[in-house]
Amino acid sequence: MAIIDQEITERYALYNGDCVEVIRTIPTQSIGFSIYSPPFGIANLVYSSDDRDLSNCKDRGTFLEHYEYLVREMSRVTKQGRINAVHCMDTPGKGTGVLDDLPGDIIRLHQSNGFDYVGRHFIWKEPLSVAIRTRALHLRHGQIAKDSTLCGPAGGDKLLLFRKKGENKEPVAHPLGLSNYLGRRLVPEGYEEKYRNWADDKTNRLSQWIWRQYASCFWDDIRVNRVLPYQEARDPEDEKHCHPLQLDVIDRCLVMWSNSGDIVLTPFLGVGSEAYGAVRMGRQSIGIELKPSYFRQAKKNVASALQSQSDDQYSLEFGETDSIEEGEM
């Protein structure tokens, strides 16, 4: 196995190398939870020039063929009854507004390799912000005047949930309910003071309110600017895309589908968001990243998880802001 670099501590192990090669060394059924966003393999979402980078596959079929090697290994290392969460999106097809169903392909791959598909969350994106960032013709307001049959929705992200077949022998239990809400909405007045650590789940209004937000299939309350620093990871020689997963998404998943002390795996570490969240929340983490510049930034970010427990450690300048300038779509 070729490992370019590594960072190993009592709380986390980070590897700069190929994820399939590294995961083959992980013991069977040792991972309590996994969360990651795979490379999507489309022209405007290329991460590096490395031949081993999935985003460099020549077509969708080749991408899925190589991605399946990873899914098989994820199935092997995941404990029975535990969850793998995969962040993805519909990807552009040929033609204005035409889409390919990448989430459907990912679902079928997991169903063929030891997982049950158990649901998905849709993560809302502001249409004008998406139009400005992607310059998609089907999102331009001017297209309404020309021919609105070529218009379409601003695609949100999808978080696909897969459960490894078999019985979960270590339940992820919350005997005192959910106490900390991760999102933009305001908790109803008085709930936090009265119901935090309330032992009766039937009358715990705080936990019930939080659960209603989390159980929704439509997450329109994610703080899109709550992300880790990534600017230093940009490599001018071959960097074409960098967009870390929001910490609200990661933290919600960790609360719902992992126990304190679990090993949390992310095979596409990026700048370390998933590992950072896992360490901050009392889990152990294994993260693997192929791109050296990402890996160097991930080491800094994950190390900082041991130094601060503040949700406000990072300023909004590092991520996509909630506000947008008025402009023609």
Side-chain angles (χ1 to χ4, degrees):
M1 178 181 64
I3 293 179
I4 303 168
D5 194 5
Q6 63 184 23
E7 182 84 6
I8 300 177
T9 73
E10 292 182 355
R11 296 287 302 280
Y12 59 86
L14 309 180
Y15 299 96
N16 182 194
D18 183 271
C19 61
V20 176
E21 293 182 355
V22 175
I23 291 176
R24 284 172 177 163
T25 70
I26 296 176
T28 299
Q29 293 198 51
S30 61
I31 301 301
F33 174 63
S34 293
I35 177 170
Y36 65 93
S37 183
F40 300 152
I42 57 178
N44 63 333
L45 293 177
V46 173
Y47 293 83
S48 77
S49 58
D50 195 307
D51 289 340
R52 295 172 296 176
D53 191 329
L54 280 177
S55 66
N56 283 320
C57 289
K58 63 180 181 179
D59 53 38
R60 174 58 56 80
T62 305
F63 168 82
L64 293 173
E65 178 184 355
H66 286 271
Y67 181 37
E68 187 168 17
Y69 289 115
L70 173 63
V71 175
R72 289 172 185 167
E73 289 300 315
M74 298 296 289
S75 178
R76 179 185 64 80
V77 301
T78 301
K79 294 180 179 180
Q80 289 184 349
R82 290 303 193 92
I83 299 293
N84 277 201
V86 181
H87 171 264
C88 62
M89 58 182 281
D90 295 326
T91 53
K94 295 180 179 179
T96 301
V98 175
L99 298 174
D100 288 330
D101 184 19
L102 176 61
D105 289 333
I106 293 175
I107 289 170
R108 287 182 283 274
L109 273 185
H110 282 75
Q111 289 175 323
S112 299
N113 288 279
F115 289 97
D116 288 322
Y117 168 57
V118 295
R120 77 179 80 186
H121 293 283
F122 293 83
I123 302 172
W124 180 78
K125 294 295 182 68
E126 203 288 320
L128 180 54
S129 176
V130 174
I132 293 172
R133 185 175 70 249
T134 65
R135 301 180 181 178
L137 294 177
H138 72 281
L139 292 176
R140 293 182 62 86
H141 179 265
Q143 187 62 51
I144 293 289
K146 298 176 182 178
D147 182 358
S148 60
T149 65
L150 297 178
C151 294
D157 294 345
K158 283 81 175 175
L159 186 73
L160 308 179
L161 305 177
F162 304 99
R163 184 187 298 123
K164 171 74 175 294
K165 292 182 181 293
E167 179 185 357
N168 178 23
K169 298 179 181 179
E170 301 172 355
V172 179
H174 303 87
L176 298 179
L178 304 173
S179 299
N180 298 303
Y181 169 62
L182 297 153
R184 69 169 66 256
R185 291 196 179 94
L186 296 178
V187 177
E189 186 175 355
Y191 278 20
E192 292 181 297
E193 293 81 3
K194 181 174 182 180
Y195 294 105
R196 186 178 298 278
N197 297 324
W198 192 269
D200 183 3
D201 67 280
K202 294 181 180 179
T203 58
N204 188 338
R205 293 189 177 183
L206 172 62
S207 183
Q208 291 172 2
W209 183 87
I210 294 174
W211 172 239
R212 287 200 299 273
Q213 317 313 308
Y214 291 4
S216 173
C217 67
F218 190 64
W219 284 359
D220 62 350
D221 56 342
I222 297 298
R223 293 170 288 186
V224 297
N225 49 18
R226 186 171 174 253
V227 297
L228 289 185
Y230 63 89
Q231 301 291 359
E232 293 181 21
R234 291 189 179 276
D235 187 340
E237 293 185 359
D238 60 3
E239 172 56 34
K240 299 178 182 178
H241 175 70
C242 187
H243 190 69
L245 185 57
Q246 295 88 3
L247 294 174
D248 280 352
V249 173
I250 296 166
D251 290 351
R252 286 185 182 189
C253 292
L254 289 166
V255 167
M256 290 192 289
W257 299 307
S258 71
N259 284 319
S260 178
D262 272 348
I263 300 176
V264 176
L265 171 63
T266 179
F268 302 104
L269 179 64
V271 297
S273 303
E274 295 88 348
Y276 171 88
V279 171
R280 283 188 68 254
M281 298 185 71
R283 281 68 170 158
Q284 300 179 75
S285 179
I286 297 176
I288 309 159
E289 174 54 44
L290 181 62
K291 187 173 174 62
S293 62
Y294 284 8
F295 179 76
R296 290 191 294 269
Q297 184 64 40
K299 288 197 298 182
K300 297 177 183 178
N301 288 339
V302 179
S304 72
L306 298 175
Q307 301 167 3
S308 173
Q309 298 299 312
S310 171
D311 280 338
D312 298 321
Q313 179 180 359
Y314 296 114
S315 66
L316 302 186
E317 66 179 302
F318 292 113
E320 177 184 352
T321 60
D322 288 337
S323 62
I324 54 176
E325 298 293 332
E326 292 187 4
E328 206 275 339
M329 290 178 66

